[in-house]
Amino acid sequence: MCGSCDPARLLEGGGLKATPMRLRVLSALLGESEAQGAPALLELLRREAPADKVSLYRTLETLLQAGLATRHEAGDGSVRYCAAGPAHPDHHHFYCLSCRRLYCLEQDAVSVGTHVPGVSHVSVRLDGTCQRCRTGAGG
Ligand SMILES: [Zn+2]
Ligand SMILES: [Zn+2]
Ligand SMILES: [Zn+2]
């Protein structure tokens, strides 16, 4: 989750034109501390204004290519997206087997493989039961 990044500036930095849809999708990603699946994103966007599934996928693809978003496979095989970019370095994820959320972890929560020569990207998914589910706080 990030409250300090300006989506318009991120797009500009990524060499992208700040179209309304790009701004909406990137803002939605920046506002979440969990990686979001496309259906969940669509729901989020539609709370504010109509959004079209095809343009959502197209926008996600554009953001991925510009390095402003990353995609991750959750434990159920579905694909989730989260914000990336200069202020959002690679981070790992925790998948809850119970509520199927894919939480973003702090950058230094897991350290693996970074000392291996030639490695440029490491993606680790931890599977388990999130705190919410462990404590029965809903979910
Ligand atoms: Zn940020
Ligand atoms: Zn959970
Ligand atoms: Zn993430």
Side-chain angles (χ1 to χ4, degrees):
M1 175 145 53
C2 177
S4 56
C5 281
D6 177 2
R9 196 168 291 178
L10 282 176
L11 287 169
E12 196 185 312
L16 294 176
K17 207 173 148 214
T19 65
M21 188 62 174
R22 286 173 187 166
L23 285 169
R24 289 176 69 194
V25 174
L26 191 54
S27 303
L29 290 177
L30 287 168
E32 297 296 324
S33 53
E34 301 160 22
Q36 301 289 316
L41 274 171
L42 202 57
E43 211 172 286
L44 272 173
L45 295 178
R46 281 177 174 166
R47 273 182 214 164
E48 292 161 13
D52 162 66
K53 192 170 159 185
V54 176
S55 61
L56 171 63
Y57 277 103
R58 202 189 304 133
T59 303
L60 285 169
E61 200 53 47
T62 305
L63 294 176
L64 286 170
Q65 280 172 16
L68 296 176
T70 48
R71 50 180 285 163
H72 307 275
E73 198 176 298
D76 58 4
S78 70
V79 171
R80 315 282 173 95
Y81 302 85
C82 58
H88 301 265
D90 265 1
H91 56 267
H92 303 297
H93 293 88
F94 183 100
Y95 175 71
C96 178
L97 297 161
S98 176
C99 67
R100 301 185 171 199
R101 286 186 168 91
L102 188 66
Y103 296 92
C104 298
L105 295 173
E106 294 295 322
Q107 195 200 354
D108 54 6
V110 183
S111 165
V112 59
T114 45
H115 63 287
V116 179
V119 168
S120 60
H121 172 78
V122 181
S123 179
V124 172
R125 194 190 72 225
L126 309 175
D127 291 355
T129 310
C130 75
Q131 192 186 358
R132 217 161 170 163
C133 291
R134 287 199 313 274
T135 58

